[in-house]
Amino acid sequence: MSTKRKPTTLTYADKLEAIEAVKNGLKRKEVAAQFGIHESTLSIIIKKEAEILKKQESGESLQCKRQKIAEFPNLEQCLFTWFKQCRNENISVSGPILKEKAEEFANSLKIKNFKASNGWLQNFKKRHDLAFNKICGESASVSKSSQEWKSELHNVVNDYDPNDVFNADETGLFFKCLPDKTLTFKNEKCHGGKHSKERLTILFCANSTGTEKLKPLIIGKSKKPRCFAGLKSLPMDYEANKKAWMTADLFKKWLINIDKQMVTSNRKIILFIDNCTAHGDIPPLKAVKVQFLPPNTTSQLQPLDQGIIKKFKTLYRKEVVRKMIADMEQNTISSINVLQAMRMADKAWRNVTPLAVKNCFRTCGFSSEPQEIIEEEDNNVPEEWSKHMSGSNITFEDFVTCDDDVATAGTLTEGEILESVNNCIESDKDDDFNDEPQTSSTSVSTNEAKKALTTVRSFIEQCSNIKDNVFSSLFVIENQIDLETVNFLKRKKITDFFK
């Protein structure tokens, strides 16, 4: 008589491993046997991949085997957000404190039948895989000097190719700031208030050789800006929250995506980041090793702070000046929306040279080679500025650095936590631009795109000393238009041609 097989229940972490094994080419039968489950069970797990990934990105524990749904999900989310903020700032939270805070959130949410009992606390800990352990020592306050760090840095990166050594950092950007508004914005911390609608946060990441600058992440206030209407692809990634801040959840989601890219490329990288409050919740990663820089030393040890971000802002402000002058010549009011800012930011980031990036990493001790001299005009005052702003008491340097002190992350108040959980984010309206007319991108047909490309090609052919990569770019664009034309024809029915 055969014994009945005992059913195996996998944790969410195990399910992700099983999905990854199938993606890597293993047969489903082999993967099912490895994890002790039926093939049919594996098929169900694979179908639920998106649901499991969403759970991972939200910061929920992956060690549980079944999803434990809280009786009061809004309360649960508020409390867990508050708890994560406390832990990111090394604030000790005990069980009684957590119970008291839960009662406060329950009152704010007008939940009448909630009781923060010991049983509730135990279930809350299980749902989020929490353990109240004593914080030993003062590890968060221990800091190394810049010289000590630089002397140890070689051993830290020794096992990595220079192309696999990365640094990531955020910066604030007053994207709508025109030269005549520079003195208004200067030294604005922008935690809130009237200028908070004028700013974005941008996350940059580059490697130590300058050969790889990852696609930046822009964080705005509006989830669906009107200017994005009809668009399916953007030059930069975009997220939104009420503060336009980097948050622990957004950074975690970004890290997971980078890890997936590196796994796909079969690479192992090391990523240096600062101790920003949004960087405190690091998920399990397979291909990315996260290394924190010593506290309070990022102005000296973080490559992006050594000139890379300033180079980007210099190039971005040049684009703003050019747009302003073009608007003046066309006798139109100069204004900038998120999409225009994103396009200019994309151009500026692509124009930051590998040599500039490489030199900033060298300055921070990532290489012992001598710095190379940069012979470029990017740091010079643009000719357009000298011509049109010569009589102004504002310098181009003031314009470039007007948002150096803008906050990119912070701690939400309890009221802001409640507001975010209650979905009060300004997401469905383009509140950032209430003072501007409603605009959206014009729909362009493939025939119009071909004509425009022909015009651009004719212009390029009339110019002197054009590099071959320009023609290569035109070729890539032309192929993309041809591909869209074929896809468009596939979607049409034969009867459409007789209308």
Side-chain angles (χ1 to χ4, degrees), residues 53-61 76-85 88 128 170 203 217 219 239-241 245-258 276-283 285 408-410 412 417 420-421:
L53 288 174
K54 188 176 180 181
K55 186 178 180 70
Q56 182 189 36
E57 290 170 0
S58 68
E60 295 181 51
S61 171
E76 191 95 356
Q77 191 176 343
C78 285
L79 189 63
F80 190 53
T81 300
W82 176 84
F83 176 81
K84 286 192 294 183
Q85 284 193 162
N88 289 342
H128 298 285
E170 300 89 357
L203 172 64
L217 169 65
I219 305 167
E239 296 282 357
N241 57 56
W245 276 352
M246 174 59 77
T247 64
D249 288 340
L250 285 182
F251 189 72
K252 186 174 184 178
K253 181 179 177 181
W254 179 81
L255 272 178
I256 291 169
N257 287 334
I258 296 301
C276 161
T277 54
H279 298 169
D281 188 13
I282 306 300
L285 302 168
T408 59
L412 296 176
I417 291 174
S420 65
V421 169

Side-chain angles (χ1 to χ4, degrees), residues 303-319:
L304 280 157
D305 283 343
Q306 286 298 312
I308 299 172
I309 288 176
K310 185 177 181 182
K311 178 74 67 177
F312 158 80
K313 288 191 174 182
T314 300
L315 293 167
Y316 178 83
R317 297 299 177 198
K318 286 184 179 183
E319 293 301 315

Side-chain angles (χ1 to χ4, degrees), residues 142-159:
V142 176
S143 178
K144 296 179 182 178
S145 69
S146 299
Q147 286 305 121
E148 285 177 325
W149 171 257
K150 287 182 179 180
S151 63
E152 296 175 9
L153 188 56
H154 176 73
N155 293 330
V156 176
V157 300
N158 193 42
D159 294 334

Side-chain angles (χ1 to χ4, degrees), residues 327-347:
D327 290 339
M328 287 169 55
E329 291 174 349
Q330 296 174 18
N331 200 26
T332 59
I333 298 174
S334 195
S335 63
I336 301 170
N337 61 31
V338 173
L339 180 60
Q340 292 167 332
M342 185 181 288
R343 289 167 177 167
M344 291 190 288
D346 178 60
K347 181 180 178 181

Side-chain angles (χ1 to χ4, degrees), residues 5 21 90 142 162 191 275 298 352 374 379 412 422 457 467 475 484:
R5 181 177 177 178
N90 276 307
V142 176
H191 293 286
N275 290 268
T298 55
V352 175
I374 304 177
N379 288 326
L412 296 176
N422 285 327
R457 189 185 293 278
K467 295 181 179 179
F475 167 76
E484 290 300 317

